Amino acid sequence: MSAPFLVKICGLSTPASIDAAVDAGADMIGLVHFARSPRHVDADAAARLADHARGRAAVVLLTVDADDALLDALVARIRPDVVQLHGREDVARVAAVRARTRLKVAKALGIASADDVDRARDHDRGSADYLLFDAKPPKDATRPGGLGAPFDWDLLAGAAFATPVLLSGGLGPTNVGEAVRRTRPAGVDVSSGVESAPGVKDDAKIRAFVAAARAAAAEIAPPEDAARGAADASTRQTRQR
């Protein structure tokens, strides 16, 4: 039996957007601590948002090349379930963060070519708990990540990883189903694709995204997993009433 399909909504900055994500059935909510991002939340705000989500969805703290002192302070204040490393962290740094925080770690990796997929295998050795495949930013970008653009999903054709892969980059309600069917990831991650403006989440888009992702995941799941997924969805709806 395979692991449950994961849906992560990232860049949340209000209790209302967290409620929208949880009510839609998201498994993970992401809080961005990176000052150059329009989705940045400071440590105190992130702690309040984490407390609002705690017990209802896994809390993911996104950082970019944070040093030990900053990581220690953020983890102590926010108490996330997962630390997402979205900078230039190498394999050794990912392993060190995992050991230091004693938390699950997701490592984001930019994908633009077959060589990038090959390089991603360096992280497929137990240093990370999740690999998040995002589009590479433009060369003149001031922020990491795909910045709302997808990469060529065909690059992942036949690429098997032992570490669960979350697909990201340019996903939204209208294309996430195709992305899931073509790449068969362990889960999906979205931020700008469910916004009405940079940093402003749209409840209807969140609901549509989660529904489309789950429908596609059910299509490609083995029969026993599809049945379990339907039961899990029913349980979530009962808890939300």
Side-chain angles (χ1 to χ4, degrees), residues 106-197:
K107 174 59 186 140
L109 298 163
I111 303 294
S113 68
D115 287 342
D116 293 324
V117 177
D118 288 339
R119 281 190 288 269
R121 297 191 186 284
D122 291 341
H123 287 274
D124 193 29
R125 297 173 181 171
S127 61
D129 297 275
Y130 306 100
L131 300 179
L132 192 148
F133 287 171
D134 200 353
K136 267 191 171 178
K139 290 184 179 180
D140 59 349
T142 60
R143 292 180 282 126
L147 308 183
F151 63 88
D152 182 1
W153 301 325
D154 287 340
L155 291 171
L156 300 182
F161 286 81
T163 308
V165 170
L166 304 184
L167 184 69
S168 186
L171 298 181
T174 61
N175 69 354
V176 67
E178 179 187 0
V180 169
R181 288 187 290 270
R182 284 174 58 180
T183 65
R184 296 176 176 262
V188 290
D189 173 73
V190 67
S191 187
S192 62
V194 291
E195 292 180 344
S196 57

Side-chain angles (χ1 to χ4, degrees), residues 7-241:
V7 178
K8 175 173 172 276
I9 310 295
C10 198
L12 300 172
S13 58
T14 67
S17 63
I18 287 177
D19 290 339
V22 171
D23 290 347
D27 304 286
M28 297 174 158
I29 63 99
L31 306 175
V32 175
H33 187 83
F34 182 61
R36 293 203 294 271
S37 171
R39 299 159 192 91
H40 169 72
V41 288
D42 64 29
D44 289 340
R48 290 191 294 271
L49 293 168
D51 286 342
H52 189 72
R54 205 174 312 282
R56 301 190 292 156
V59 175
V60 181
L61 169 64
L62 186 155
T63 66
V64 179
D65 296 317
D67 60 20
D68 286 346
L70 177 57
L71 271 177
D72 288 349
L74 291 174
V75 167
R77 183 74 181 90
I78 298 164
R79 297 187 295 125
D81 301 294
V82 181
V83 175
Q84 180 174 322
L85 303 178
H86 219 98
R88 300 184 182 89
E89 301 91 355
D90 60 15
V91 174
R93 179 58 178 162
V94 174
V97 169
R98 192 175 185 228
R100 185 179 188 87
T101 64
R102 298 184 181 181
L103 295 172
K104 290 185 176 181
V105 172
K107 174 59 186 140
L109 298 163
I111 303 294
S113 68
D115 287 342
D116 293 324
V117 177
D118 288 339
R119 281 190 288 269
R121 297 191 186 284
D122 291 341
H123 287 274
D124 193 29
R125 297 173 181 171
S127 61
D129 297 275
Y130 306 100
L131 300 179
L132 192 148
F133 287 171
D134 200 353
K136 267 191 171 178
K139 290 184 179 180
D140 59 349
T142 60
R143 292 180 282 126
L147 308 183
F151 63 88
D152 182 1
W153 301 325
D154 287 340
L155 291 171
L156 300 182
F161 286 81
T163 308
V165 170
L166 304 184
L167 184 69
S168 186
L171 298 181
T174 61
N175 69 354
V176 67
E178 179 187 0
V180 169
R181 288 187 290 270
R182 284 174 58 180
T183 65
R184 296 176 176 262
V188 290
D189 173 73
V190 67
S191 187
S192 62
V194 291
E195 292 180 344
S196 57
V200 180
K201 291 296 185 280
D202 184 297
D203 293 1
K205 288 182 180 180
I206 289 174
R207 289 193 297 270
F209 180 88
V210 176
R214 296 236 180 264
E219 288 180 29
I220 64 174
E224 64 274 17
D225 286 353
R228 183 182 62 179
D232 289 346
S234 177
T235 300
R236 281 195 298 269
Q237 291 171 359
T238 301
R239 289 174 178 170
Q240 291 160 10
R241 290 191 184 112

